[in-house]
Amino acid sequence: MSDKPSLVWLREDLRFDDNPALRAAADRGAPTALLYVLDDETAGEWKLGGAQRWWLHRSLEALQKDVEKFGGALILRRGDAEEQVADVAEKLSAGAVYWNRRYMPWQVEQDKAIKEALSEDYEVESFNGRLLNEPWEISTKSGDPYKVYTPYWKQVQQRDIRDPLPKVQKLDTPGSLPSSDDLEDWDLLPTEPNWAEGFEEVWTPGERGARKRWLDWLKSEGSEKYDEHRNRPDLDDTSKMAPHLHFGEASPITLYREMQEKIEDGEIPEAHGQSYLSELAWRDFSYSLLYHFPRMLDEPLMGKFKEFDWDKDDEAFEAWTKGRTGYPIVDAGMRQLWHEGHMHNRVRMITGSFLVKDLLIDWERGMKWFWDTLVCADPASNTAGWQWVAGCGADASPFFRVFNPVSQGEKFDPDGDYVRRWVPELKDMPTKHIHAPWDAPKDVLKKADVTLGETYPKPIVDHSQRRKEALERYQAIK
Ligand SMILES: Cc1cc2nc3c(=O)[nH]c(=O)nc-3n(C[C@H](O)[C@H](O)[C@H](O)COP(=O)(O)OP(=O)(O)OC[C@H]3O[C@@H](n4cnc5c(N)ncnc54)[C@H](O)[C@@H]3O)c2cc1C
């Protein structure tokens, strides 16, 4: 064993538990430095959005505390990762450089280049710390990537997922350390206005926050009845692990294996537990699509949609982003997104469908808005989610299946509680009319203190007309 220090380049794996790169460093035994590089230049238009920058700041603060507890040293650098990693490795006089893999096309290229450049002077190794199965590990009989989820999931179920690696609890700190940026200087937190106040109420970024959320959720009705509750935004009962998974504060392997144990022990009913495992595998499936079809980041997977005649209605787009479309379930979702940096999955589908099929605005604009505002914004799941909603992706909902925002609201928010929470102007509307206030009799509106067009917007489009229009435009590209 060389006593030259190990350098672990952390990216979307900000944790000590089940972290293969960090584990390799701990097993190597030499003092260890952890490096995080904020590389906006290489990421270009995929640099972290506003909500994620808030998360990253809080997560790195939490990581620093863990480093103080478990040892090692955290070095922060900003700029081109290729230069920064090489510089830190050299100044540290490192013997080994380890990291866990990433899957965006430019990240794959960057990692290859760095590996090649560093391999001459250091031991360099990369690992899977992000997915249950890597994109190349699951394929059809003819060796092609899956484009349909069900057979993909069947294959995942036939494979063993390894046990989580033991948590790294002790690292030695290198004697002399290369310089580090001050996190505060990165200006990741919003100031004027501080739009992230609502985030602080909901989230605790960092590995400990992730663990607590997971254990609390496992004890709650949300996990016991997951498959029943997962479509109900009013119940707010899903695990909310997405941002923790995105930043790698929780390992999908740990969650998967622990859920399997709960099923085996009879603590979580099989159907509900399996449903959760299947959602974790959807995350992998999205990564598999991204890896094999990287063009999906900025073009529809179904080529014919390149010709679709989208509207460029900026006013309607703004009404959508601000939750002022006049459709209560859509507005509730968009306001939840702004306030919490999160939106329930069912409502992501409803708001997405409304943008694409009612406002006839290109899904890419919606995807970019989500990219900036979601704390869990993820290139694979966000792009795959939007292409699914727009009907132009792999295994997508067909374009002609247009969500009706009123009946979706009535079905999935049956008592109107989700709308009342996020659209307080409608809090006194009776349930019968809360999803379509424009149909309510005048005396009902008066009693609820609602004046359409004043206290709450009139619908900005007529759903049935726009549905017809959307289908006509679809015919033109079919
Ligand atoms: C238009 C659109 C955009 C989306 N953008 C993102 C995104 O940027 N980042 C993101 O993580 N998810 C995205 N999703 C998927 C899904 O909405 C979120 O993962 C989920 O709402 C997160 O809440 P949760 O952690 O409580 O989920 P839970 O229901 O508790 O699910 C557990 C985990 O499974 C994974 N998962 C669940 N549903 C999906 C799905 N449909 N696709 C992929 N993984 C899934 C997530 O990692 C999630 O944390 C998007 C979906 C749509 C329709």
Side-chain angles (χ1 to χ4, degrees):
M1 193 272 296
S2 144
D3 56 1
K4 284 180 151 195
S6 304
L7 177 62
V8 178
W9 177 21
L10 291 175
R11 295 96 72 87
E12 290 157 344
D13 50 356
L14 304 177
R15 63 172 185 273
F16 280 72
D17 186 36
D18 189 48
N19 185 329
L22 203 55
R23 185 74 254 164
D27 291 348
R28 188 167 168 268
T32 302
L34 282 57
L35 168 68
Y36 186 90
V37 183
L38 181 65
D39 184 357
D40 286 339
E41 281 164 47
T42 315
E45 61 174 331
W46 290 101
K47 70 179 192 188
L48 296 184
Q52 290 215 309
R53 294 174 105 73
W54 171 85
W55 190 288
L56 178 66
H57 185 105
R58 293 277 180 254
S59 189
L60 289 173
E61 278 176 341
L63 185 73
Q64 176 59 39
K65 285 197 185 128
D66 285 341
V67 168
E68 284 158 21
K69 186 167 170 202
F70 300 126
L74 179 61
I75 298 169
L76 304 178
R77 288 288 184 96
R78 187 158 47 169
D80 180 70
E82 204 168 333
E83 287 167 21
Q84 297 301 331
V85 177
D87 184 62
V88 172
E90 190 195 328
K91 297 214 163 91
L92 188 68
S93 303
V97 183
Y98 300 136
W99 63 75
N100 295 310
R101 283 187 274 278
R102 305 175 295 178
Y103 305 90
M104 288 269 266
W106 61 267
Q107 293 171 331
V108 174
E109 286 310 308
Q110 190 181 51
D111 288 359
K112 265 191 205 154
I114 298 180
K115 201 173 216 174
E116 217 175 284
L118 297 187
S119 290
E120 284 181 19
D121 301 312
Y122 314 95
E123 179 201 330
V124 183
E125 214 175 326
S126 62
F127 305 85
N128 171 18
R130 183 152 191 75
L131 301 173
L132 303 168
N133 295 288
E134 302 217 68
W136 48 88
E137 289 175 339
I138 299 214
S139 54
T140 64
K141 281 202 182 93
S142 50
D144 295 323
Y146 281 107
K147 288 187 181 165
V148 178
Y149 180 67
T150 309
Y152 176 93
W153 170 227
K154 279 199 180 128
Q155 237 198 73
V156 175
Q157 286 174 296
Q158 281 159 18
R159 289 169 65 91
D160 285 335
I161 304 292
R162 68 162 171 80
D163 285 333
L165 303 171
K167 183 169 181 168
V168 171
Q169 312 248 26
K170 187 174 172 350
L171 291 171
D172 290 333
T173 306
S176 82
L177 286 168
S179 65
S180 168
D181 290 355
D182 188 342
L183 180 59
E184 298 299 326
D185 293 341
W186 284 5
D187 289 332
L188 297 173
L189 298 177
T191 46
E192 288 166 12
N194 177 9
W195 41 257
E197 271 171 2
F199 295 13
E200 310 269 0
E201 291 161 21
V202 185
W203 304 106
T204 310
E207 186 170 4
R208 265 178 280 181
R211 189 72 193 149
K212 180 169 181 338
R213 183 176 292 279
W214 174 242
L215 294 178
D216 287 350
W217 183 75
L218 281 181
K219 280 187 251 150
S220 74
E221 204 178 69
S223 62
E224 278 165 31
K225 297 192 172 160
Y226 179 72
D227 199 46
E228 226 174 283
H229 287 191
R230 57 180 284 269
N231 268 311
R232 291 279 302 273
D234 53 334
L235 301 178
D236 195 19
D237 245 359
T238 58
S239 71
K240 289 200 177 152
M241 289 303 291
H244 297 295
L245 282 163
H246 175 76
F247 283 90
E249 300 163 351
S251 149
I253 289 190
T254 305
L255 305 194
Y256 197 92
R257 296 291 287 130
E258 290 185 355
M259 179 55 88
Q260 279 184 324
E261 274 170 31
K262 293 272 170 199
I263 299 170
E264 278 159 26
D265 294 349
E267 288 178 45
I268 292 184
E270 170 94 28
H272 296 291
Q274 285 295 339
S275 172
Y276 192 82
L277 297 181
S278 159
E279 292 306 328
L280 285 178
W282 256 107
R283 177 174 170 273
D284 268 30
F285 180 60
S286 304
Y287 268 93
S288 171
L289 292 173
L290 172 72
Y291 182 79
H292 292 291
F293 310 101
R295 64 190 165 82
M296 77 184 254
L297 286 170
D298 49 22
E299 63 176 64
L301 278 174
M302 282 185 208
K304 64 186 179 189
F305 275 89
K306 281 191 214 164
E307 308 303 321
F308 197 93
D309 178 21
W310 300 112
D311 283 352
K312 290 196 175 44
D313 188 339
D314 292 339
E315 218 176 295
F317 183 71
E318 195 182 328
W320 179 79
T321 59
K322 293 203 151 68
R324 299 199 55 78
T325 67
Y327 283 89
I329 191 86
V330 174
D331 293 342
M334 297 309 292
R335 293 184 200 187
Q336 181 188 18
L337 175 60
W338 186 253
H339 190 78
E340 294 192 338
H342 171 80
M343 191 198 297
H344 188 276
N345 181 58
R346 169 58 49 181
V347 193
R348 290 185 204 200
M349 294 195 275
I350 300 171
T351 53
S353 174
F354 187 82
L355 183 81
V356 172
K357 297 177 187 175
D358 286 77
L359 302 182
L360 289 160
I361 291 175
D362 192 344
W363 62 272
E364 267 196 78
R365 273 183 93 177
M367 187 264 286
K368 285 184 179 150
W369 181 255
F370 275 26
W371 180 258
D372 200 27
T373 52
L374 274 174
V375 285
C376 70
D378 183 274
S381 301
N382 192 27
T383 317
W386 273 97
Q387 294 224 20
W388 185 92
V389 164
C392 61
D395 204 6
S397 163
F399 185 89
F400 54 78
R401 199 174 295 153
V402 179
F403 277 20
N404 179 324
V406 176
S407 53
Q408 287 282 316
E410 288 167 349
K411 187 166 175 196
F412 297 110
D413 179 27
D415 304 319
D417 291 344
Y418 180 73
V419 166
R420 282 193 194 90
R421 173 158 185 221
W422 293 108
V423 187
E425 308 94 285
L426 300 178
K427 72 178 183 342
D428 295 324
M429 281 295 282
T431 300
K432 186 172 170 211
H433 295 292
I434 197 158
H435 291 292
W438 58 90
D439 276 342
K442 276 193 186 129
D443 60 318
V444 171
L445 286 170
K446 195 159 179 256
K447 207 168 154 210
D449 214 7
V450 174
T451 310
L452 292 178
E454 285 179 27
T455 60
Y456 182 68
K458 292 179 181 166
I460 58 169
V461 289
D462 177 296
H463 172 69
S464 52
Q465 268 177 19
R466 296 300 279 184
R467 177 178 181 278
K468 227 170 119 230
E469 172 74 27
L471 295 179
E472 276 167 22
R473 291 198 202 178
Y474 177 59
Q475 282 303 320
I477 59 150
K478 226 171 117 185

